[in-house]
Amino acid sequence: MSEAQAIPQQARIVIVGGGIIGCSTAYHLAKMGCNDVVLLEKHRLTSGSTFHAAGLVGQLRTNANITQLLGYSVELYKTLEQETGLATGWKMNGGLRLACNQQRWTEVKRQASTAHSFGLDMHLLTPQEALDLWPVMEIDDLVGAAFLPTDGQVNPSDITQSLASGARKGGVQICEEIEVNGFGFDGDTIRSVHTNQGTIDCERLVICAGQWSQQLGKLADVNIPLVSVQHQYLITEKIPLVPAELPTLRDPDRLTYFKEEVGGLVMGGYEPNPIPWAENGIPEGFHFSLLDNDWDHFEPLMEQAIARVPSLANAGIKQMLNGPESFTPDGNFILGAAPERKNVFVGAGFNAFGIASGGGAGMALAEWVLNDEPPFDLWPVDIRRFGKPHADIDWVRRRTLEAYSRHYTMAWPHEENKSCRPCRRSPLYDSLLGQGACFGEKLGWERPNWFAANPEQAFDDYSFGRQNWFAAVGAEHRAVRESVAVFDQSSFAKYRVSGCDAAAALSWMCANNIEVASGTVVYTQMLNPRGGIECDLTVTRIAEDEFYLVTGTGFASHDLDWIRRNIPAGHDVRIDDVTSAWAVLSLMGPKARDVLQSLIRDDVSNESFAFAAMRELALEGAMLRALRVSYVGELGWELHVPVEFAGMVYQKLMAAGEAHGIVNAGYRAIESLRLEKAYRAWGADIGPDYSPLEAGLGWAVDCKSGKSFIGREAILAQKEKPLVKSLVSFVLPDKEVVLLGRETIYRNDERVGWLSSAGWGYSVDTNIGLGYVRNAGGVDLDYLQSGRYELEVASERLPCELQLQALYDPKMLKLKG
C-alpha cells in the first residue's frame, strides 16, 4: 500500500465499498460540506459489481419518491462530466418499453398514467412509431409501446470514477486495497472499523459493499437481507443500421433488454429460472471477476432476442458477461439506518439497477447519515421494511429468486408471492383455510384476504379487470355493514411500553394526548420534526406505568425502531415486542354487541363500554383485552386474546354469531370498508412527507394543552399559512373502470396530484380514490370545491367528483352507537 493511501486513525464517517453507491454517497457528503469522510475499498473502485453492470438508466417506479430519486440521478449525470472533467458515457437517448399483448398494453398504459402522476413525460406509441425509434426490431407482434425521452445510459465504471473524483476534490479520502475485518462496539453503537491496515475510530458507518454487504452486516450484527444471483448479458460487434442514439429498449414479454454500444447492442434479460451464486459465501479474491458463461441457461433469452432483433442471429459476439449481482426479497434496494445499531447506515441490494439509482441513492443516503432522516419518504426501500423471516438467509434466497424471476413478468394488481409460504401463522390458520380462506402474506404472516364458498376455489385469478374475488369480498363487506363479521388480525404488531417514565416518553413522541385514564385507547400519530407522520397507531393505557401499542403488520420493524430511537435520554422506559403473545379477533358490525354480550358477563352497552375504551373481559377462562376501536367504520371490538385461547374464543364467537349471520371476512373487505370511511393507510395515504393537517387528521393532534411533542413547532407553523396539499376523496361514476391507485388527478385540466389508494365501495356502489390535491398557492375549501376534476386511468381522462367527507356514515353514528 502506498504512503498516500495510509488510513487515518479516525474519521467522522467511514464508508465501506467503492462501487457507484459508495462513491456517490461520498460525493454527496462532500457536497453537503462534510469532508471528514473515509471510503474503504477492499480492492479497487468498481471491482465488485459496478464494473460489469449494463448501465441502463430508467426512472419510472411505482412510488413517486423513488421515481424522484431516479430522476435526480438523471439530472446529476447530465452535468457530472463537466464538473469533474472525467467522462461518464451519459447519453439521454430515451427509453422504450414494448407491449406484445392486450394485458401488457393495459399495464403499459397504466404505467404511463403513473408517469404522468409523477411528472414524467411518457408517450404512448403505435408499433410503427416504435419502429421509427428502433429501426432494427421486428414489430409483427407489437400492440404498442411507451417512450420516456429522459431515460438514458452511462458507462458504469466511468460514472463511478467521476463521482469518486468529485468526492476527492471535496476532501473525502478514498483508500483502496483496504479490507474491513471487524468492528469495535460500545453497546448498540459501532465506535471503530477494523481493517487489515489498522483501526479507524468513527462516529458513523455506512455499508455500501454490494453483494458483500450481507456478510459485512453480520460482522456489525446488522441484518442486510440480500443474496447474489447470476446475471448474464452479451455485447455484440457492430450491427448494420444501429444508430448511435438508439434508445434503451425493454421487451418484458420476451424478458429481454437492449442498449446501443459502439454501433452494436448490449442484450440481457431476466430468466424465469435464475441461478443463485455464493450460497456459502463469496470466495476470497473475487474482484474484477466474472463467472463462467452458461450458454444453455442464456439460450432461451437469446432466442427471444433474435425474434425481436433478427440481425442478432448473424452478429459477432464481442463479449459475454456473467456477473453476480445482489438482489433482494422484494426487488427494491436497501437504504437507511439499520435498526440494530444507532449509527450504521446501509445502501445495498440494487437488483441490477444500481447505476440508475446511484446518483439519487447516494444523495438520499448522505442526507440520512448527516441528518438522521432522509430528504423525503423512502419507505419502499427503507431497510426497516424487513422483519423476522428476513433473518434467515435461506428464506431470503428463496424469496429473492422468486422476485428475480418476476422482474419482467406482468405486474398484476394484488399479486401475492408464492415462495416461503406458509411461514408465520395465527392460531386460526388451519381452521380458516378449511373454511375457504384465500391467504395473502405480509412480513411472513399469512393473512386471510378473502373467503371462497368452496375451499377449492380459494385462489386469486389475476387480471386488470374485476378479479375473481370481487363478489365474495362484496358479500363480506355487506355482512360487516348489515350484520357481523370476524377478522383475524393477529398479525398486528404489538408492543408493551413500561417503566416509570413510559408516560412521559410516549407523551413526547405522540402528537395526541396519551396522558389519559387507564382503560383508554388513543389513536395518534408520531411525528418527525418537520411534522410528517412517522407512525400511525393506537396507544392503550393499561396502568400508570404500562401502555399497549398496536400498529400495522408491515410496520413492525419501522415503528419499533422509531420509538426506540426517540425515547429521551435518561428515561426509564422499556419496550417489548409482544406481537406473538396476542392473537387479535376483530368483531365488527351492527350485531357485534349482541354477539359479544351473549358470551360476556360484563355489560358491553354503549353507556358502559364507550368508543375508545379498553376493558379486560372474561370468556370461558380466557381474559381478553377488548379495544372498542374500528378501521371499518362500524360498531365493533378488537379482541386481543392470549394465543393459547384464540381457537376457543373464535369458536365461541362463531357459534354465538350464527343466529346473526356471522361470517369470516378478510383484508380485501377491510380495504373497501376503510375507503368508504376515508380512513388513511400509512405508507400510502400518509407518511413522513405528510402532516396530520394535510391528511385531515388535525383532530388527533393535541396543540391546545401546551404539551411538548416531536413536530409540535412544525404543526403550529403550518397552521399559520395555507396548506399546499390536502387529502380528499374522489368518486368515479364509471363502474366499468377499475381504480388501483396512482391514477393522475386533474383539476381544470391541470395536473394536481395522484390517487394514493383506491378501490370499490360496495355499500355506496362506486369507485373510490383517496389522493392529495396540490397547489403551491394553497388548497383552501374554496379552491377544492371550485374545480372540475378528472382522473387519468390507463392514459384516459375520466370525469370524477370530489368528496370532502366520508361517503359512508360521515357523522360516525354507527361507529359510536
Side-chain angles (χ1 to χ4, degrees), residues 432 437-440 446-451 487-488 665-668:
L432 299 181
C438 184
F439 287 91
E446 293 293 320
R447 312 192 313 169
N449 277 338
W450 61 282
F451 288 81
F487 299 89
D488 180 5
Y667 276 81
R668 299 249 165 89

Side-chain angles (χ1 to χ4, degrees), residues 382-396:
D382 193 316
I383 192 171
R384 294 170 296 178
R385 71 188 187 273
F386 298 117
K388 292 180 179 179
H390 299 94
D392 177 3
I393 193 63
D394 293 323
W395 193 99
V396 168

Side-chain angles (χ1 to χ4, degrees), residues 493-567:
K494 315 165 198 84
Y495 315 115
R496 177 179 181 265
V497 179
S498 58
C500 62
D501 295 321
L506 285 174
S507 186
W508 166 244
M509 287 184 270
C510 295
N512 210 346
N513 177 26
I514 58 86
E515 292 278 13
V516 291
S518 297
T520 304
V521 184
V522 178
Y523 169 64
T524 186
Q525 287 82 44
M526 295 178 173
L527 310 181
N528 56 41
R530 295 176 286 112
I533 301 171
E534 290 288 346
C535 307
D536 181 66
L537 39 67
T538 59
V539 176
T540 302
R541 190 162 203 166
I542 303 298
E544 185 70 18
D545 59 354
E546 182 181 353
F547 295 81
Y548 181 63
L549 278 57
V550 181
T551 190
T553 305
F555 316 132
S557 301
H558 173 278
D559 288 10
L560 182 61
D561 177 67
W562 198 91
I563 294 167
R564 280 177 171 163
R565 287 179 185 270
N566 285 280
I567 294 172

